């Protein structure tokens, strides 16, 4: 186990943060949730039919004794959640429609978070990113002053730890929106006890290419620096100029990062998604995430290729976000 994960656990010990796992019928989810029963970091809440989950647990030899299970189809919470959903949607759905929508496990789980029954949500093992994010945007919504949610990954290999974003949500961003992603990523990084050194990436370093794309990153860097003047932020930089000190000396000799960035902001989702997967699959980095940021309460999205360990760890990340939000409020 890495020191980073150990530190997360130490900070969460005794907190029993209530995390809902909508996809209880997936054995990876059920195994990870059961794993949290033996600690006091996370109190898991799993959605599904209790008899079905017990059968899966028996077949897979998973001990789920004491696991809190809620079935959206039969839960006594469902009528109240449907009514609250109507209020959130402000007349866009009828109560009858809301009662039907609440049967969807991601909507039910997100409403548990919205109403305070749960503190955060982890989904996406068998659902697409839109299926996880759409309820969050409709119900929990973004924080005041944040126009878009974005998705970051913590990338770990041995003692190396980096943060990459946006790798999950926004196909294209304006300079202002890209700056917002940089600022929110820096804040998220700090909430995990890491001092951010933020590089906004491009195919250009400090004007080496004169294009609209490079100019957007340059402007985004200025906006981000203005919003977080006490945080080390620089761009536009090619990855090697942001990461390799000897290259930084040649390509960006005046950069305060000096080739030692640990947070990398990609100019587009295309670049970000490709970049983190290359680091994961060719570089041997473990990818934790995507961690969604900018929401009022934590909702996080798994990859459908996720492992049990990644589900377990993402619950720790989600619980850490809960603690950070409590501290901020």
């Amino acid at each position: 186990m890495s020191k980073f994960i150990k530190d997360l656990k130490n900070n969460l010990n005794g907190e029993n943060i209530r995390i809902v796992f909508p996809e209880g019928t997936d054995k990876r989810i059920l195994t990870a949730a059961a794993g949290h029963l033996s600690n006091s970091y996370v109190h898991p809440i799993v959605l599904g039919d209790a008899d079905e989950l017990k059968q899966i647990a028996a077949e897979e030899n998973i001990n789920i004794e004491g696991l809190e299970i809620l079935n959206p189809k039969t839960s006594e919470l469902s009528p109240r959640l449907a009514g609250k959903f109507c209020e959130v949607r402000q007349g866009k759905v009828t109560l009858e429609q809301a009662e039907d929508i609440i049967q969807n496990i991601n909507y039910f789980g997100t409403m548990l978070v919205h109403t305070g029954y749960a503190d955060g949500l982890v989904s996406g093992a068998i659902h697409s990113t839109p299926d996880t994010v759409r309820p969050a945007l409709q119900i929990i919504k973004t924080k005041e002053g944040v126009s878009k949610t974005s998705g970051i990954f913590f990338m770990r290999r041995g003692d190396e730890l980096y943060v990459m974003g946006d790798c999950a949500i926004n196909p294209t961003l304006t300079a202002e929106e890209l700056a917002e992603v940089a600022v929110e990523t820096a804040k998220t990084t700090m909430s995990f006890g890491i001092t951010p050194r933020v590089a906004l990436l491009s195919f250009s370093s400090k004007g080496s290419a004169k294009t609209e794309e490079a100019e957007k990153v340059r402007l985004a860097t200025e906006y981000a620096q203005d919003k977080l003047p006490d945080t080390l932020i620089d761009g536009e930089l090619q990855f090697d100029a942001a990461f390799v000190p000897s290259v930084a000396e040649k390509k960006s000799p005046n950069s305060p990062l000096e080739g030692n960035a640990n947070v990398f902001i990609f100019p587009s989702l295309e670049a970000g998604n490709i970049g983190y997967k290359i680091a994961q699959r060719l570089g041997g980095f473990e990818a934790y995430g995507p961690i969604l940021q900018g929401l009022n309460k934590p909702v996080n999205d798994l990859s459908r290729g996720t492992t049990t360990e990644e589900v377990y760890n993402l619950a720790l990340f989600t619980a850490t976000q809960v603690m950070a939000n409590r501290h901020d409020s």
Side-chain angles (χ1 to χ4, degrees):
M1 187 193 306
S2 71
K3 180 181 182 300
F4 181 55
I5 297 297
K6 285 181 180 178
D7 288 344
L8 292 186
K9 289 181 174 181
N10 287 337
N11 291 335
L12 291 167
N13 195 30
E15 296 294 339
N16 284 307
I17 304 297
R18 296 173 65 84
I19 303 298
V20 58
F21 299 85
E23 302 161 318
T25 56
D26 187 289
K27 69 178 182 180
R28 296 166 297 177
I29 298 292
L30 198 57
T31 304
H36 278 293
L37 290 173
S38 61
N39 63 53
S40 60
Y41 321 132
V42 165
H43 171 88
I45 304 164
V46 175
L47 303 188
D49 177 78
D51 290 337
E52 183 181 3
L53 297 192
K54 288 175 183 176
Q55 181 177 344
I56 294 170
E59 292 171 353
E60 301 292 336
N61 197 27
I62 306 168
N63 182 4
I64 61 169
E65 185 178 352
L67 181 65
E68 182 174 0
I69 299 171
L70 296 177
N71 185 348
K73 292 181 171 58
T74 59
S75 173
E76 61 183 19
L77 297 173
S78 292
R80 175 173 172 267
L81 296 183
K84 289 289 186 181
F85 182 69
C86 276
E87 293 176 13
V88 170
R89 298 300 289 154
Q90 298 178 332
K92 294 178 182 178
V93 296
T94 65
L95 180 58
E96 185 178 6
Q97 289 171 329
E99 289 171 346
D100 183 57
I101 290 169
I102 286 298
Q103 303 303 305
N104 178 293
I105 55 175
N106 281 320
Y107 275 92
F108 185 92
T110 304
M111 283 302 300
L112 290 180
V113 176
H114 174 69
T115 57
Y117 186 90
D119 300 309
L121 177 146
V122 172
S123 189
I126 56 179
H127 288 87
S128 67
T129 292
D131 287 338
T132 301
V133 175
R134 188 181 302 110
L137 294 178
Q138 290 179 354
I139 297 167
I140 293 174
K141 303 178 181 179
T142 55
K143 296 177 181 177
E144 185 176 353
V146 177
S147 65
K148 290 180 178 292
T149 189
S150 52
I152 65 172
F153 282 85
F154 284 79
M155 309 295 295
R156 187 187 72 82
R157 184 179 64 186
D159 292 331
E160 297 176 83
L161 186 66
Y162 307 103
V163 182
M164 296 182 174
D166 176 5
C167 304
I169 304 296
N170 301 290
T172 58
L173 294 165
T174 65
E176 292 84 357
E177 291 166 344
L178 187 60
E180 183 178 277
V181 170
V183 168
E184 290 303 307
T185 305
K187 290 179 179 178
T188 300
T189 303
M190 284 187 275
S191 74
F192 280 80
I194 303 165
T195 301
R197 300 186 300 276
V198 184
L200 283 84
L201 300 178
S202 176
F203 52 80
S204 168
S205 293
K206 298 298 183 179
S208 62
K210 303 293 185 181
T211 69
E212 290 183 8
E213 293 84 357
E215 176 65 9
K216 181 180 78 170
V217 177
R218 187 191 69 77
L219 284 173
T221 301
E222 290 185 2
Y223 297 149
Q225 289 169 337
D226 287 343
K227 290 182 178 180
L228 284 183
D230 296 328
T231 299
L232 200 57
I233 301 173
D234 199 23
E236 89 277 20
L237 292 168
Q238 292 165 283
F239 182 81
D240 53 358
F243 188 67
V244 183
S246 61
V247 176
E249 287 180 7
K250 298 179 178 66
K251 291 187 174 183
S252 54
N254 296 318
S255 172
L257 293 174
E258 299 179 327
N260 288 302
N262 62 354
V263 176
F264 304 98
I265 306 301
F266 291 91
S268 69
L269 177 59
E270 184 175 43
N273 194 266
I274 292 169
Y276 100 81
K277 287 183 183 292
I278 287 175
Q280 180 186 31
R281 302 300 180 180
L282 287 183
F285 279 83
E286 292 182 32
Y288 302 126
I291 310 296
L292 302 187
Q293 54 188 17
L295 293 168
N296 281 305
K297 293 184 178 182
V299 169
N300 283 320
D301 178 41
L302 295 158
S303 164
R304 278 171 284 179
T306 194
T307 65
T308 297
E309 182 181 11
E310 288 168 347
V311 177
Y312 180 94
N313 286 335
L314 190 56
L316 297 176
F317 279 77
T318 307
T320 300
Q321 286 179 290
V322 171
M323 293 296 293
N325 285 350
R326 289 177 180 175
H327 182 266
D328 290 342
S329 60

